Amino acid sequence: MLKNVVANLEWVVEYWPDLVDARIPGTRRPWRQIELTPEARAELDEQARIERFERSMLSLGASPAPLDVNVLQAVLDMLVQADDLAAAIAGHYGRGWLPSPGPGELDARPYLLYAARHLPEQLVEQVAPVAAAMVDRVASLLCMVYDGQHLDVECPWCHNTDVWRVRELPGGMVAVVCEGVCEPPLDQVGTWWGGQPVWPIQDWPRLARLIHAAEEREKLAS
């Protein structure tokens, strides 16, 4: 269970910038995470720091555009949850922790990363439902979850198109399922369901990288 909880926390970290951006109506919702170079990531982080300095994002009147209140409320709720998780884990070890986010500070990633990297077995059952709920909420707000939706990509293993479908599986697991005759290597599959390979939502960034690698190999071969 520890591995799954950590994966959920890291998944929320991956998509946190997209969620914060989505507070502005009309922001494009991603279905896959774009891989950034360290230089590009540093540039985006710097832009975010400048934005936080110039404008308090908690002040609705200070924003140059109307905000999506549902997204903003989710960001604030999960920021508090992330801070609480990190504080609880730090307290478990008897350590001090970073100050809570101040006005205008909407970056939950430091708290989520701390929780993911230091989560003890004793707190896994307590953290698991919080992390899973965060994944569901982020995926829903970014319009990433449509049960039954086909993905217009070629499966890198069975080489068929229109065989990947988003499914909500028993237990509330949201996943991509390949419905073709497909047997990927075991180390590249999240899990299996009904004999079909399955990639839970927290595996989607890794799955996107596998697709990209397969596409690059095909270009080189052609």
Side-chain angles (χ1 to χ4, degrees):
M1 181 183 285
L2 175 61
K3 182 179 178 181
N4 290 337
V5 176
V6 168
N8 280 342
L9 292 171
E10 291 177 342
W11 187 91
V12 176
V13 169
E14 286 283 341
Y15 285 98
W16 187 262
D18 297 305
L19 180 66
V20 174
D21 287 345
R23 75 194 191 284
I24 300 175
T27 303
R28 182 169 178 258
R29 271 46 167 177
W31 87 265
R32 67 171 77 180
Q33 180 70 18
I34 299 173
E35 292 301 306
L36 297 177
T37 65
E39 293 79 11
R41 176 69 70 184
E43 182 179 350
L44 288 178
D45 288 344
E46 180 61 22
Q47 291 174 356
R49 283 192 291 271
I50 292 172
E51 180 186 20
R52 289 194 297 270
F53 178 77
E54 291 180 343
R55 181 179 75 246
S56 169
M57 291 186 288
L58 295 181
S59 175
L60 297 181
S63 174
L67 299 182
D68 186 319
V69 177
N70 289 332
V71 174
L72 181 60
Q73 187 61 57
V75 167
L76 296 176
D77 291 345
M78 286 186 279
L79 184 61
V80 171
Q81 290 176 321
D83 183 26
D84 288 345
L85 287 178
I89 292 168
H92 174 82
Y93 294 111
R95 302 172 183 167
W97 176 233
L98 293 175
S100 296
E105 178 61 65
L106 296 184
D107 193 357
R109 290 174 295 179
Y111 308 95
L112 294 170
L113 284 173
Y114 181 88
R117 292 169 180 169
H118 299 91
L119 180 60
E121 289 282 357
Q122 296 90 329
L123 297 182
V124 168
E125 291 189 4
Q126 175 183 336
V127 174
V130 178
M134 283 184 173
V135 169
D136 290 344
R137 197 168 185 184
V138 172
S140 177
L141 289 169
L142 293 181
C143 302
M144 299 170 67
V145 180
Y146 298 95
D147 186 37
Q149 177 190 9
H150 276 102
L151 300 181
D152 186 21
V153 297
E154 178 181 317
C155 176
W157 298 283
C158 69
H159 301 291
N160 291 314
T161 57
D162 203 32
V163 291
W164 280 14
R165 190 188 294 264
V166 178
R167 291 291 193 188
E168 183 170 352
L169 304 181
M173 176 191 292
V174 176
V176 168
V177 179
C178 182
E179 299 181 342
V181 180
C182 191
E183 295 185 6
L186 294 179
D187 62 348
Q188 296 184 0
V189 179
T191 185
W192 296 81
W193 177 70
Q196 303 298 137
V198 169
W199 294 270
I201 194 169
Q202 62 266 25
D203 280 346
W204 289 5
R206 180 172 68 94
L207 185 57
R209 290 193 290 270
L210 293 173
I211 295 171
H212 178 72
E215 290 173 346
E216 290 300 310
R217 288 194 299 269
E218 185 175 341
K219 288 179 182 178
L220 291 174
S222 60

